[in-house]
Amino acid sequence: MSTLKDVARLARVDISTVSRVLSGDPKQVAKEETRERIIAAAKALEYRPNQVARSLRSQSTSTIGLIAPQLSDFAFTTMLNGIENAALKAGKGLLVVGWDFRGSNSDSKREILLHLLNDGIVDGVLIAFATIGDEFAPILLSSKVPIVIVNRKSKLIGASVTVKDGEAVKTAVEHLTSLGHSRIGYIGLKAGTTTVADRLEGFYSGMKTMGLEVREEWMASGPYPDPDSGNTPLASIIDSSKRIGLPTALIVASVRSAPQVISEMSERGIKVPLDMSVIGIGDTEFAKITSPKLTTVWLPFEKMGQKSVEMLINAVEGKELIDFKLPDSPRIVLRDSTGAPRQ
Amino acid sequence: MSTLKDVARLARVDISTVSRVLSGDPKQVAKEETRERIIAAAKALEYRPNQVARSLRSQSTSTIGLIAPQLSDFAFTTMLNGIENAALKAGKGLLVVGWDFRGSNSDSKREILLHLLNDGIVDGVLIAFATIGDEFAPILLSSKVPIVIVNRKSKLIGASVTVKDGEAVKTAVEHLTSLGHSRIGYIGLKAGTTTVADRLEGFYSGMKTMGLEVREEWMASGPYPDPDSGNTPLASIIDSSKRIGLPTALIVASVRSAPQVISEMSERGIKVPLDMSVIGIGDTEFAKITSPKLTTVWLPFEKMGQKSVEMLINAVEGKELIDFKLPDSPRIVLRDSTGAPRQ
DNA sequence: TTGAAAGCGCTAACAC
DNA sequence: GTGTTAGCGCTTTCAA
């Protein structure tokens, strides 16, 4: 590969002049003739600036880091789209780090985090969907680069992008109520994130608004580590509902669990939606491949991805960061897993 | 952040000594006392080597690039696991570039590819599952860094990792035959890759071995751009089979399409597997969330991902590259979408 | 308008 | 053993 030096030699100018012409230089400070000579030389030599040298000199990499659950976790694809698009549009590379790895331990995570945050390889870091334990708090706090958290708030990092999680669950309650349901259950998640809390809170508040009674027996928490492991949230609901009977509808707060809930129901001979309606919070591509197809509450996940990248880039450029909640209202995506309750 | 210089000052030695002690230096050429002073100083200053400076100096980034279809394509998650794991184990970062983007055009792809291959940001590039058109051939050929293609062979790049695609389809044919099927159809893909060709070839050869007749009417090609768009592969098979009747079993060569095929069948009132058995080539996580759950032919996708990373790293270190086919034999993962044909 | 020179932070050949 | 020095490829003052 040719370098600035080669171009300079061929164009018979100093490398600084080449640099000015080829990069910086918004004001085009260079004689037209020189410019042309330099550009011709660069073309002839197929010159391409070395990004690493540039990064070292300018102390910025034009790359952002993304910490995500195992990349292969197919539960958050929509948001990833938004991140990819926004990064591409901004001309930033994406250095992706899988988090909840099979076989990854606390020490290796520590090391990866320190490396990503402090060793100059990225200009900023996005933490998306991955749950990072308190043990890593000091590392996050002493980060050299700015951090934006996606899909939940954090007291540590005053920079986050979230969506109207609570309202989404309320919307689900309303939808089910309008179909005639009053016996509504809830499968949540165990993680201690604001998102999980907001959704649960939305459930209580939605039920209250609709004048419905919340029954502990109809509530359980995921995740579904293994649907074959026996003790699933659905199993626990069935178990504890023996006296009062089953709910006629279930809100599944984690979209990742919803297909598994449906699948487990079909194994148990529970017909969806005839015996029980199921609605997932958050819309994803794979809601279309379950059977019956999953009714969901859409949330602006793609926008959340985009916005998080934009915020991070702003932060890199020195702007103050804030917690931001996207104003987009949740809405029902009607498919086949919800219907009127059986008489 | 502190630099070598800071550490050197604090330890009252030259920066080169610090560098030797903290990095290089397998032989530990340093007085024990000096070592300790340096290490103490580094700890006190929380010194971390700047990766960018290191990269510039050593002309290697310890990062590999990954070109993949839209990251959010949930069809190749297993292999991604293998890639992530292997990269992590080797201490390499993963710079991920989404390829078949909504809204990405030929020019921007060109630019991204040139950047990734030539600007020193990665030591090598993995092209996984993404179909890269011939127009980009010159760019690939003039790459500064080595390239490994995953999941297909390419005349351009003499370095690939593939699996026993043909044999997988043969295995599927055998499985269906053993269940009593003789009317077997095939849904393939249109892409002109060796993988697509190998699978098709495996179908012909498997059918021949079993003494079964291949009927054109029972064959079609995906992909499923949109299951709602009307003209799906399944529709075309149903259409052209009017005279001779439908097959009793369908091999779906693209695992991405299989859930959609099943879903379309249920919409059309075709019961799986009673009316028609369905088997997918390649096993994935979401085979478990379709209903009925999808029977598949397992292929070593995770291993393919690992192997590709290992090969790439070898190439970076100067080893000669080859086309490599993983020796692992395909095997049936029995779930609920295949069964004996209706009498 | 252009060139000279310094330096981003690090490594490694060479000298002492 | 340890320091000196050069330089990876680039950008950006400062001088001319």
Side-chain angles (χ1 to χ4, degrees):
Chain A
M1 296 304 290
S2 42
T3 69
L4 268 193
K5 219 167 158 182
D6 302 319
V7 178
R9 196 181 309 123
L10 185 60
R12 314 207 143 278
V13 291
D14 188 81
I15 66 162
S16 59
T17 308
V18 180
S19 172
R20 258 175 250 132
V21 169
L22 260 32
S23 330
D25 194 5
K27 299 247 139 216
Q28 315 241 359
V29 286
K31 233 196 308 191
E32 189 53 30
E33 190 203 352
T34 330
R35 284 184 62 74
E36 279 167 10
R37 231 173 46 244
I38 289 172
I39 287 168
K43 196 167 227 166
L45 295 173
E46 297 187 330
Y47 169 75
R48 299 191 56 90
N50 179 309
Q51 179 62 44
V52 175
R54 233 179 210 183
S55 297
L56 178 58
R57 174 62 225 225
S58 60
Q59 301 287 62
S60 99
T61 62
S62 71
T63 301
I64 65 186
L66 171 64
I67 297 180
Q70 254 188 319
L71 264 192
S72 57
D73 184 334
F74 56 77
F76 74 129
T77 55
T78 316
M79 182 214 49
L80 208 40
N81 258 339
I83 293 183
E84 283 189 302
N85 271 314
L88 186 69
K89 205 188 310 177
K92 305 287 180 188
L94 214 53
L95 190 72
V96 183
V97 174
W99 195 245
D100 284 315
F101 251 118
R102 185 184 44 177
S104 74
N105 58 38
S106 190
D107 273 356
S108 67
K109 283 182 174 180
R110 233 188 139 62
E111 200 34 63
I112 289 175
L113 206 50
L114 281 168
H115 181 56
L116 190 63
L117 295 175
N118 301 308
D119 296 352
I121 56 179
V122 296
D123 296 342
V125 169
L126 235 42
I127 300 181
F129 275 59
T131 306
I132 292 191
D134 289 340
E135 46 188 318
F136 299 113
I139 300 186
L140 295 180
L141 284 173
S142 68
S143 172
K144 184 176 146 191
V145 299
I147 302 174
V148 169
I149 302 233
V150 191
N151 199 38
R152 69 172 192 281
K153 292 212 278 185
S154 153
K155 313 99 250 155
L156 293 176
I157 315 291
S160 66
V161 188
T162 49
V163 296
K164 292 185 167 172
D165 288 296
E167 209 176 292
V169 179
K170 278 184 89 164
T171 304
V173 172
E174 283 160 21
H175 168 65
L176 294 171
T177 309
S178 77
L179 289 172
H181 293 274
S182 58
R183 302 166 65 91
I184 301 177
Y186 185 84
I187 293 183
L189 275 172
K190 275 177 186 144
T193 64
T194 56
T195 302
V196 168
D198 284 357
R199 291 185 182 183
L200 186 59
E201 158 62 23
F203 179 63
Y204 282 112
S205 117
M207 292 293 275
K208 189 168 182 186
T209 307
M210 290 296 141
L212 300 178
E213 190 187 0
V214 173
R215 304 293 307 242
E216 278 298 323
E217 294 90 336
W218 296 337
M219 297 181 70
S221 295
Y224 268 76
D226 183 351
D228 305 332
S229 82
N231 207 358
T232 62
L234 180 58
S236 107
I237 286 178
I238 291 174
D239 235 41
S240 51
S241 306
K242 275 186 185 132
R243 217 165 314 168
I244 61 168
L246 289 173
T248 59
L250 222 41
I251 296 173
V252 182
S254 144
V255 75
R256 172 154 179 78
S257 306
Q260 293 169 308
V261 172
I262 285 190
S263 160
E264 193 186 344
M265 284 181 176
S266 111
E267 270 164 30
R268 291 174 180 270
I270 300 173
K271 292 209 181 349
V272 178
L274 202 55
D275 298 328
M276 209 180 286
S277 285
V278 176
I279 183 166
I281 304 302
D283 194 46
T284 68
E285 243 193 283
F286 62 78
K288 294 178 203 157
I289 68 171
T290 59
S291 130
K293 293 179 185 166
L294 185 67
T295 296
T296 61
V297 182
W298 175 90
L299 281 168
F301 284 152
E302 178 154 10
K303 225 170 173 179
M304 181 167 70
Q306 288 174 304
K307 183 71 188 176
S308 65
V309 171
E310 288 160 15
M311 277 182 51
L312 186 60
I313 291 176
N314 280 341
V316 170
E317 288 165 356
K319 249 172 242 161
E320 195 66 33
L321 280 177
I322 49 159
D323 287 316
F324 183 84
K325 189 180 283 267
L326 287 166
D328 307 65
S329 288
R331 48 174 199 267
I332 299 289
V333 179
L334 200 59
R335 297 202 184 85
D336 309 327
S337 67
T338 50
R342 195 173 229 157
Q343 295 273 52
Chain B
M1 297 301 291
S2 44
T3 69
L4 269 193
K5 219 165 156 183
D6 302 320
V7 179
R9 196 180 310 123
L10 185 60
R12 313 208 142 277
V13 290
D14 188 82
I15 65 162
S16 60
T17 307
V18 181
S19 172
R20 256 175 251 133
V21 169
L22 260 32
S23 332
D25 193 3
K27 299 248 140 212
Q28 316 242 0
V29 286
K31 234 194 309 191
E32 190 52 32
E33 188 205 350
T34 332
R35 285 184 61 75
E36 279 167 10
R37 231 175 42 246
I38 289 173
I39 287 169
K43 197 166 227 165
L45 296 172
E46 298 189 331
Y47 170 74
R48 299 191 57 90
N50 179 309
Q51 179 62 43
V52 174
R54 239 183 203 178
S55 297
L56 177 60
R57 173 64 225 221
S58 61
Q59 302 288 62
S60 98
T61 61
S62 71
T63 302
I64 64 185
L66 170 64
I67 297 180
Q70 254 189 316
L71 266 190
S72 55
D73 185 333
F74 56 77
F76 73 130
T77 56
T78 316
M79 182 213 50
L80 209 40
N81 258 340
I83 292 182
E84 283 189 303
N85 271 314
L88 187 69
K89 205 188 312 176
K92 306 288 180 185
L94 214 51
L95 189 72
V96 183
V97 175
W99 195 245
D100 284 316
F101 250 119
R102 186 183 41 174
S104 75
N105 59 36
S106 191
D107 273 357
S108 67
K109 283 182 173 179
R110 232 187 141 63
E111 200 34 62
I112 289 175
L113 205 52
L114 281 167
H115 182 56
L116 190 63
L117 295 175
N118 301 308
D119 295 352
I121 55 178
V122 296
D123 296 341
V125 169
L126 234 43
I127 300 181
F129 276 58
T131 307
I132 292 192
D134 290 340
E135 47 187 318
F136 299 112
I139 299 185
L140 295 179
L141 285 173
S142 67
S143 172
K144 182 177 149 190
V145 298
I147 301 173
V148 169
I149 301 234
V150 191
N151 199 38
R152 69 175 194 280
K153 292 212 281 185
S154 152
K155 313 99 249 157
L156 294 176
I157 315 291
S160 65
V161 189
T162 49
V163 295
K164 291 185 166 172
D165 289 296
E167 208 177 290
V169 179
K170 279 183 88 164
T171 304
V173 173
E174 283 160 19
H175 169 64
L176 294 171
T177 309
S178 78
L179 289 173
H181 293 273
S182 59
R183 303 166 63 91
I184 301 177
Y186 184 85
I187 293 183
L189 276 173
K190 277 175 182 146
T193 65
T194 56
T195 302
V196 168
D198 284 357
R199 292 186 180 181
L200 187 59
E201 159 63 23
F203 178 64
Y204 281 112
S205 118
M207 291 294 274
K208 190 168 181 185
T209 307
M210 290 295 140
L212 299 178
E213 191 187 358
V214 172
R215 304 293 307 243
E216 279 298 323
E217 294 91 337
W218 295 337
M219 298 180 72
S221 295
Y224 268 75
D226 183 352
D228 306 331
S229 82
N231 207 357
T232 62
L234 180 59
S236 108
I237 287 178
I238 290 174
D239 233 43
S240 51
S241 305
K242 276 188 184 128
R243 218 164 315 165
I244 61 170
L246 289 173
T248 59
L250 222 40
I251 296 173
V252 182
S254 144
V255 76
R256 171 153 178 79
S257 305
Q260 293 169 307
V261 172
I262 285 190
S263 158
E264 193 185 345
M265 283 178 177
S266 110
E267 270 164 32
R268 290 171 181 274
I270 300 172
K271 293 209 178 352
V272 180
L274 202 57
D275 298 327
M276 209 180 287
S277 285
V278 176
I279 183 167
I281 305 302
D283 193 45
T284 68
E285 243 193 285
F286 61 79
K288 294 178 202 156
I289 67 171
T290 59
S291 128
K293 293 179 185 165
L294 186 67
T295 295
T296 61
V297 183
W298 175 90
L299 280 167
F301 284 151
E302 178 153 11
K303 224 170 173 178
M304 180 165 71
Q306 288 173 303
K307 183 73 187 175
S308 65
V309 171
E310 289 160 13
M311 279 183 49
L312 186 60
I313 291 175
N314 280 341
V316 169
E317 288 165 357
K319 250 172 242 161
E320 195 65 32
L321 281 177
I322 50 160
D323 287 317
F324 184 83
K325 190 182 283 265
L326 286 166
D328 307 65
S329 288
R331 51 174 197 268
I332 299 289
V333 180
L334 200 59
R335 296 200 184 87
D336 309 326
S337 67
T338 52
R342 194 172 227 157
Q343 297 271 53

